[in-house]
Amino acid sequence: MSVPRTAAEAVAAGMRRDVLAVAAHEVSHGLAWRAAGFSAGPARLSRGLFGGVSDARCGNGAERLTEANVTGYLVGCAAGAAGQRLFVARYLGGRDGGAGAGASSDRADHRWVETSWRTGTSWSAAERRATALLRPRLARIERLAVQLAHTGHLPRSAFH
């Protein structure tokens, strides 16, 4: 079976909207971390017994945070939720895409790094920056999210 090219094709072929939304979440992390200079990826998405997402993640490539890259890391943490919201609004009609459990983990990562580095970058500020970064990349988010939802894997090279 070939990989659908668009979210609409994927939904028409039976892809679950919530799976696409989670895939967009992970892709958005990867694109934001790559834009910040990290070697983002790979991204993985596993499905559970009933077809929903059981696990999803995207490597950030942040082996060492510095004053020069920590804000980009924080924006990448918030990018999952921001990108998922943009994707769901544009491609899924605003349905079936709550940020879910991943967003709480992302917030915890943000809080821990922000507490350690004290950059003054709040979660809402990081989300605003992520939204501005990702909005012009929505077509790419769609393409990569459909691929991730279909195959369960995106290599690092997908984010370059």
Side-chain angles (χ1 to χ4, degrees):
M1 179 158 94
S2 65
V3 178
R5 291 176 292 139
T6 66
E9 287 178 8
V11 170
M15 177 72 62
R16 290 176 52 147
R17 293 171 181 268
D18 59 330
V19 172
L20 284 167
V22 171
H25 181 109
E26 298 307 326
V27 165
S28 296
H29 281 308
L31 292 175
W33 281 321
R34 180 66 187 136
F38 298 107
S39 58
R44 300 187 192 291
L45 185 146
S46 302
R47 297 215 196 175
L49 182 62
F50 299 106
V53 175
S54 63
D55 185 50
R57 62 190 69 242
C58 182
N60 57 47
E63 295 171 14
R64 182 163 184 228
L65 293 178
T66 66
E67 285 185 37
N69 68 18
V70 68
T71 299
Y73 176 82
L74 294 171
V75 170
C77 287
Q84 184 173 342
R85 259 193 305 285
L86 290 168
F87 178 86
V88 167
R90 168 85 51 90
Y91 299 110
L92 300 180
R95 300 181 321 209
D96 301 314
S104 69
S105 171
D106 299 338
R107 280 181 180 262
D109 289 347
H110 175 279
R111 188 172 39 256
W112 182 81
V113 171
E114 174 53 32
T115 300
S116 300
W117 285 87
R118 301 187 198 289
T119 67
T121 306
S122 68
W123 176 262
S124 60
E127 271 192 309
R128 284 191 301 275
R129 289 181 66 175
T131 298
L133 173 75
L134 296 170
R135 186 172 278 121
R137 292 170 169 83
L138 264 171
R140 187 167 182 208
I141 292 169
E142 178 189 27
R143 181 175 51 81
L144 292 174
V146 168
Q147 184 180 346
L148 177 59
H150 185 77
T151 66
H153 180 266
L154 286 175
R156 279 192 168 172
S157 61
F159 297 101
H160 293 214

